[in-house]
Every structure is written in structure tokens, then in C-alpha cells.
Amino acid sequence: VLDKENGILKFVPSGANYSENNYLTGDEPDFSDSSAIAIDGSIYVLFNDGAIKKFTKGASDTFSVSGLSKPMSGPTRIFTGEDTDNIYVLDNGNSRVVVLGKDGKFQKAYSANVLKTAKDFDVDETGKKILILSGGKIYQIDIK
């Protein structure tokens, strides 16, 4: 769980309950300006300025976004998983979904006016679609 004040929290089963542990093992960055989290074995934290920090096994890992022709503006959501090849960022300020490789390199972007007010999204790489929740409706973008 991403907690803007307490960092990344991990809940571990402990009998019939769960115990709360801090996932990070080293110095904790300031998460007050973070907006979302995605997990694929590593944890990716998205910040309001478009920066993404990666953590693996509780430690900060090398990661940087590269190749964007236009910087992100007010991104709100990030998506990836063990079964996905890429990282997807809902960049509301630029009305687009940005696709990054797991190395942070820009792959492509999908733009649509409805993305400016989108609240959430999900990606199905196998089915080649991005589902967008905006204005109480679900929209689909075909992955090419």
C-alpha cells in the first residue's frame, strides 16, 4: 500500500490477522507528492511531476523515464504487472496514455480528449486493449 506519509507498507499474514511492515529497507524518499503505485515484482511509484521511482526487494532501484518528446503533466495512474511487457501511465494533463518499456524508454502514446478527465484505467496486453474510466463511462483504446 502506498501511504504518502509512511511510505510503502506491506501487510503480511500473521495467524488470523495481518501485521503491517515497512517495505523499504533504506532511506525513504518523500512520498507526499506521489499519486499511484504499480507492482510487477518490483514496485513503481508515480509522482505528480511524472517521475517514476522503482523499488526492488525493499531497496531503491535504478530507473528513469527517457525518450518523451513532451514531459508528463499531472499523471494520475500507473499500470504494469508480471504478465505485461510495458509500463502504462495515464497522463491526464496531456490527454494521453504513455507506454514505457520496463527500462523506462518511451515506446508510444495514445491520445484522446476523454483522457483529460479519466479517473482510472486498466490494460489487457493479450487482448490488445486499454480500458479507460471517464465521466462514468468506459472507453476502449486498441493497442497497436
Side-chain angles (χ1 to χ4, degrees):
V1 173
L2 176 61
D3 183 322
K4 291 184 178 193
E5 294 177 13
N6 299 311
I8 300 172
L9 304 177
K10 181 178 179 180
F11 292 87
V12 180
S14 176
N17 298 312
Y18 288 87
S19 63
E20 177 183 314
N21 299 303
N22 189 330
Y23 171 76
L24 300 177
T25 58
D27 292 334
E28 290 194 28
D30 180 6
F31 289 110
S32 62
D33 197 34
S34 61
S35 58
I37 186 172
I39 302 171
D40 75 350
S42 294
I43 295 177
Y44 299 85
V45 179
L46 175 66
F47 290 82
N48 293 328
D49 65 358
I52 299 172
K53 293 189 189 261
K54 179 181 178 183
F55 301 91
T56 305
K57 296 182 181 176
S60 183
D61 205 346
T62 303
F63 186 86
S64 64
V65 175
S66 64
L68 286 176
S69 60
K70 184 177 194 180
M72 288 189 253
S73 173
T76 57
R77 298 282 184 263
I78 185 169
F79 180 92
T80 195
E82 289 181 358
D83 298 329
T84 59
D85 295 329
N86 297 299
I87 299 168
Y88 298 81
V89 179
L90 180 58
D91 181 15
N92 298 81
N94 291 313
S95 301
R96 67 183 179 176
V97 172
V98 174
V99 183
L100 304 170
K102 297 262 178 132
D103 59 0
K105 291 181 184 172
F106 173 77
Q107 303 296 311
K108 62 175 48 180
Y110 297 96
S111 299
N113 289 336
V114 71
L115 294 172
K116 188 147 205 84
T117 57
K119 298 294 182 202
D120 209 349
F121 77 124
D122 196 14
V123 179
D124 177 4
E125 281 187 340
T126 304
K128 297 193 178 287
K129 57 187 162 189
I130 301 170
L131 300 172
I132 308 292
L133 174 62
S134 182
K137 296 180 181 179
I138 296 177
Y139 298 87
Q140 179 178 312
I141 296 172
D142 294 328
I143 296 176
K144 298 177 181 169

